[in-house]
Amino acid sequence: PQFLRQHFNFMKWPDFDRFLWKKIKQNVMEQQSDIELQIVAADIDSSAVEAATFNIKNIRMHKDISIIHSDFFALKNPFENGFIISNPPYGERLDMNEPNAFYRKMRDQLKNNYSGYKACLFSANNQALKSIRLKPNRKIPLFNGALECRLFCYDLFNEGRE
């Protein structure tokens, strides 16, 4: 993270050792490797798509990441298998009339169109996450600022295997 950043506040500390910093940074850069990976990101909010596109170009990852302006429910499965990470609305910043119904609709989209994938949903709405009624293989407590959240991870199978 921040590998292109040139200045950090710790560089102003009286005991900052710029030679040690340069050595550490060079060591980290030598350990990096380029992997072949396709990432497809989507958002229904055009301003979020614009911001993500700008950020990806600035970190020089635009060849690996495609950004799509789309509703999650209109997306089609781009690969035979993969990993979905989603931060669906949970009623804090965006108003939701029926969060449980929305999450069940997400479940249906995942089950019907992403068999063979793994999916992780990040939310502060624990009740809505439970309304998905799929058995998570991991439940990880996390925070989004002061909001206590959960990351629920699922293996998505064909209808006959669940």
Side-chain angles (χ1 to χ4, degrees), residues 12 65 85 131 141 150-151:
K12 297 175 185 175
I65 303 173
I85 302 173
S131 75
R150 293 284 183 273
L151 182 69

Side-chain angles (χ1 to χ4, degrees), residues 64-81:
D64 300 317
I65 303 173
S66 302
I67 307 290
I68 300 169
H69 180 231
S70 178
D71 183 331
F72 173 74
F73 302 108
L75 287 174
K76 299 297 180 218
N77 178 343
F79 309 107
E80 184 177 320
N81 57 45

